[in-house]
Amino acid sequence: MNKKALSILMRARMKPNNDRTNLSLSHLPLTNAASQTQQQNSRQNGSPAGANSVPNDSGNAEREFKRVRASMDSAISMNKTEIQDDVLNNFSEGYFSLSHENRRKLLLVLAREYDVNRSQIREMIKQYLGLELPADKAQVGSSEDEALFSSFHRIERNLRLALQPVYEVLFERLNTHPGGLRFLSILRADILSILAEENISSLRALDSYLRDKLSTWLSPAALELHQITWDDPASLLEKIVAYEAVHPISNLLDLKRRLGIGRCCFGYLHPAIPGEPLIFIEVALLQNIAQTIQEVLWDSPPIPESEATCALFYSISSTQPGLAGINLGKFLIKRVVKLVKREMPHISTFATLSPIPGFMPWLLSKVASQTVLAEGDNMSQPQADGSSSTFYENILKPEEEEALMNLPKDIAPGKNGMEVMFNLLTSTSYKWIHSPEILSALKIPLMRLCARYLLQEKKRGKALDSVANFHLQNGAMVERINWMADRSEKGLSQSGGIMVNYVYRLEHIEEYAQSYFSDGKIQASSDLHRCVEGILEGK
C-alpha cells in the first residue's frame, strides 16, 4: 500500500459522525473543549491536571467566557484595521475553547445585544409618516417639492442602515479574514444545533441573516467547479470518504473505482476554504439508466466512456452542516450537466438513482394511525406531514390484503394485511428480503404506495420527500421507481429498498422547475401516473 492510500485509509477511520446533535462541529470537539481548557488553566495555576476542583473550573470557564466576549465586542467595535486581524483571531480561537453552554450563551449575547436599534427605527418611521407626499407626482418640480423628496430620501437611507443589525459588522469582517468564512459556517452550524432544541426568535433572526450573507458570499460565481480524481491530494480524498452521506465508501478499492474509468466526481471549492469541497456529486457513465445501486457501485464493470450514453448522478453530499438551506446542489448539478454535455456530446441522458428517505417513516406512520382508527381507539391521528386523518382508509387493495394474510403466520404475524406489513417492515433483522414469498406479497403494495408518496403526498404544496423536492425544484421529472434497488440496512430502513430515477430533460428543465415552483406540479412518466390512477380508483 502506498503512502497516499495509507493516509486516506487512516484519516477515513476518523470519519465524523453526521448524526451527532451536540455542538461538535469545530476543529476542537466540544466534548473535550471544556476539559482541555480546564487542564490548561490547571497547569497555569500549578495544580495537577486531574485535580478535582469544580468551583475553580467553574470560575475558569466564566473568565474564559468573559475574555471571548470581550474579544467579540472588540471585533465589532474596533475601527483600527491594522489590529483587526489579531482581534478576529483572538475571537475565533477563543470561541473554540468554550463549552457547549458558553457558546450558546455567547451566541445569545450576539443575537440580542447586537440586534437592530428598534427605538431608533420607530423614531425614523414616525418622522417618515409625518412627511406629506405631493398630491400629483407628475407635477413635481418645484424647489419645495425637491426639498420634500430630499427628506424622504434621507430618512429612507438612514432607515435602511438602521435595519441592518450590528452583528453584520462582525460577519463582514470575518468574511474577509483568513479562515473567517469557514469559521462562520461553523458558527452557523452551532446556531442550527441550538435552534433544533429551542425556538429562540432572536437566534432565529441571527441565523436567517447569516444564511443570507453566506448565500451571497457563496454564489456560483465565487465557487470553483473541480473534478476530483485519484491524483488529488490525500487530504482532499479523505474528505470525500469522510463526508459521503448517501452510499458510504467501504474501502480504498471502492474509492478508487468511484474515481476511475466510467466514473466522475465533481465538487465545489471556495478559495477561502482551500482543499475542502463544500459539496460534491458522484457520476456514473452508463449505457442505460441504472435500476439498482449495486450495478453502479460493484456489479457491472465500468464501460469505456466513449460507449456511454447516460450520465447518472447517484450521490450528492454536503460537507458543511453550517451551509444547510443554501442550495449549492442546484447550481452544482446544472454546471456538471453543462460540463459533461460539452465534453461528452455523446451523452444524451442525464438521470439520478436516488434514495427516498421519507417513504418508510411516512408509510409506517400511515399504517400505525390507520390501525388505531380501525380499532376505534382514536379518530384523529397526526400524520408525517403534520396534518391529521379523521377517517379510516385501508391503504391495501383486496388482492394485496389477501396475499399478505396468506403468508405463514410464524414469519408474518398480524390480524390484517396492514398489521402484517407493519410487522415485517419494522423488523430490524430484515429477514423478509431473503424470502421470495414475502417479497412477492410486498412488492405490489409497496411500489404502488411509493408512487403515491412521491407524486401525491405534499407539504405546503411541495413534495413531502426531501430528495424529491430537491430534484423537482431543480427541474427534474420522476421517471421510474425500482424494486430492491438498495438492499443496504440504510436503504431498507428508509424506503424498503426502493430507489427512484429522476431524469433531467435539458429542453424542459426551466419549464418543469417553474411549474413546480409556481403550482407544485410534479412531472412524472406515464407509468408513474398510471400507478397513481390505480391507487385513486382503488380508494
Side-chain angles (χ1 to χ4, degrees):
M1 182 182 294
N2 60 34
K3 289 183 179 179
K4 178 175 185 175
L6 180 61
S7 173
I8 297 170
L9 181 62
M10 294 303 293
R11 293 184 185 189
R13 288 177 180 171
M14 301 172 67
K15 178 178 179 178
N17 180 0
N18 291 328
D19 294 330
R20 57 200 165 180
T21 56
N22 62 345
L23 304 184
S24 54
L25 297 163
S26 71
H27 66 275
L28 182 62
L30 271 171
T31 52
N32 299 327
S35 61
Q36 290 189 22
T37 302
Q38 291 164 7
Q39 290 172 9
Q40 291 171 359
N41 290 332
S42 296
R43 286 192 294 270
Q44 291 171 1
N45 295 332
S47 56
N52 184 12
S53 55
V54 175
N56 188 48
D57 288 346
S58 177
N60 288 340
E62 183 61 25
R63 282 194 294 274
E64 182 67 8
F65 171 79
K66 289 180 179 178
R67 185 186 70 79
V68 178
R69 176 175 176 174
S71 66
M72 182 180 76
D73 295 339
S74 297
I76 294 172
S77 61
M78 184 70 65
N79 290 320
K80 295 182 179 179
T81 55
E82 62 272 13
I83 59 174
Q84 268 184 18
D85 281 348
D86 289 338
V87 173
L88 291 169
N89 278 334
N90 290 338
F91 169 57
S92 57
E93 290 171 7
Y95 179 84
F96 289 131
S97 72
L98 296 179
S99 66
H100 174 286
E101 182 54 33
N102 276 342
R103 286 194 192 185
R104 177 185 176 279
K105 217 162 92 175
L106 188 72
L107 289 169
L108 287 176
V109 168
L110 182 64
R112 291 168 176 167
E113 297 187 18
Y114 288 100
D115 200 354
V116 297
N117 186 332
R118 290 183 175 83
S119 298
Q120 182 185 27
I121 291 171
R122 286 171 63 90
E123 186 59 37
M124 288 182 185
I125 291 174
K126 288 178 183 178
Q127 294 176 24
Y128 193 80
L129 293 176
L131 298 176
E132 187 173 345
L133 283 169
D136 187 356
K137 290 184 181 180
Q139 300 301 319
V140 172
S142 68
S143 57
E144 291 182 3
D145 289 338
E146 287 297 333
L148 177 61
F149 273 97
S150 176
S151 298
F152 273 111
H153 295 151
R154 176 177 50 79
I155 296 177
E156 288 162 357
R157 181 184 65 251
N158 292 337
L159 191 56
R160 281 193 296 271
L161 292 173
L163 286 169
Q164 295 173 357
V166 180
Y167 46 67
E168 182 192 42
V169 175
L170 179 64
F171 297 159
E172 293 283 357
R173 289 177 174 176
L174 281 168
N175 179 49
T176 58
H177 179 69
L181 186 61
R182 176 166 176 74
F183 174 69
L184 284 171
S185 73
I186 294 169
L187 202 72
R188 182 164 183 257
D190 287 357
I191 294 169
L192 291 173
S193 185
I194 297 169
L195 289 174
E197 299 175 358
E198 306 173 80
N199 187 12
I200 305 171
S201 60
S202 58
L203 202 59
R204 195 163 293 284
L206 175 72
D207 170 63
S208 177
Y209 201 87
L210 180 53
R211 182 193 63 212
D212 290 345
K213 284 291 182 183
L214 289 170
S215 296
T216 300
W217 295 328
L218 296 172
S219 67
L223 298 171
E224 173 198 350
L225 181 64
H226 175 71
Q227 181 170 355
I228 300 162
T229 71
W230 185 254
D231 294 328
D232 277 307
S235 59
L236 176 59
L237 297 186
E238 68 90 11
K239 290 180 173 66
I240 300 300
V241 176
Y243 289 110
E244 165 56 66
V246 185
H247 304 292
I249 297 171
S250 54
N251 52 44
L252 286 173
L253 177 62
D254 187 8
L255 174 63
K256 200 163 187 176
R257 190 174 188 274
R258 296 192 195 198
L259 302 176
I261 297 172
R263 300 293 182 267
C264 305
C265 181
F266 298 92
Y268 262 153
L269 284 83
H270 192 282
I273 310 177
E276 182 158 343
L278 306 182
I279 188 171
F280 60 91
I281 190 169
E282 295 172 73
V283 187
L285 302 176
L286 309 168
Q287 288 181 322
N288 300 293
I289 300 175
Q291 298 186 48
T292 72
I293 194 59
Q294 200 65 20
E295 61 190 282
V296 174
L297 296 181
W298 294 110
D299 288 352
S300 301
I303 62 170
E305 294 180 0
S306 59
E307 297 178 15
T309 61
C310 170
L312 186 88
F313 308 127
Y314 64 93
S315 177
I316 184 165
S317 303
S318 173
T319 69
Q320 308 295 317
L323 301 184
I326 300 172
N327 195 355
L328 298 178
K330 171 183 177 180
F331 303 112
L332 178 59
I333 285 180
K334 290 185 176 180
R335 283 188 67 176
V336 170
V337 166
K338 289 180 180 178
L339 177 65
V340 172
K341 189 65 179 174
R342 185 177 70 244
E343 297 189 353
M344 304 178 192
H346 53 281
I347 299 290
S348 57
T349 302
F350 294 88
T352 81
L353 182 61
S354 299
I356 316 169
F359 174 52
M360 199 53 60
W362 169 81
L363 178 61
L364 294 178
S365 173
K366 185 84 172 172
V367 172
S369 64
Q370 294 303 315
T371 300
V372 172
L373 287 170
E375 295 172 353
D377 292 340
N378 194 331
M379 293 304 293
S380 180
Q381 286 292 319
Q383 301 299 301
D385 62 354
S387 64
S388 62
S389 172
T390 56
F391 61 90
Y392 173 72
E393 172 198 8
N394 188 346
I395 62 173
L396 297 174
K397 292 186 176 183
E399 60 272 22
E400 297 164 354
E401 176 90 21
E402 182 181 359
L404 288 166
M405 291 304 294
N406 286 338
L407 293 173
K409 295 302 178 186
D410 59 327
I411 58 173
K415 298 190 295 292
N416 53 54
M418 286 198 295
E419 192 170 312
V420 169
M421 184 167 65
F422 184 87
N423 290 335
L424 287 170
L425 296 176
T426 53
S427 168
T428 55
S429 64
Y430 300 111
K431 291 181 180 178
W432 58 272
I433 69 169
H434 304 296
S435 167
E437 187 179 8
I438 296 178
L439 285 174
S440 177
L442 285 175
K443 179 177 179 179
I444 294 176
L446 286 185
M447 292 285 277
R448 181 175 58 79
L449 290 166
C450 186
R452 164 180 167 173
Y453 170 73
L454 289 172
L455 302 189
Q456 285 193 327
E457 300 300 322
K458 296 187 176 183
K459 182 178 182 179
R460 300 190 185 96
K462 300 296 186 290
L464 183 58
D465 188 77
S466 59
V467 175
N469 182 58
F470 171 77
H471 287 294
L472 292 169
Q473 70 180 356
N474 292 345
M477 66 174 291
V478 191
E479 178 70 18
R480 179 177 65 197
I481 52 176
N482 305 295
W483 178 246
M484 287 294 103
D486 183 0
R487 290 171 175 259
S488 70
E489 184 175 339
K490 183 178 181 181
L492 292 168
S493 66
Q494 285 186 340
S495 59
I498 302 173
M499 298 188 77
V500 56
N501 296 123
Y502 299 99
V503 172
Y504 285 85
R505 303 198 186 283
L506 303 189
E507 67 276 18
H508 294 301
I509 285 179
E510 297 304 327
E511 173 194 345
Y512 289 173
Q514 183 58 42
S515 65
Y516 180 71
F517 177 78
S518 301
D519 308 316
K521 184 176 181 181
I522 296 175
Q523 303 289 341
S525 66
S526 55
D527 286 344
L528 265 293
H529 278 302
R530 277 196 296 269
C531 191
V532 173
E533 289 166 6
I535 296 169
L536 293 172
E537 291 167 3
K539 279 190 177 180

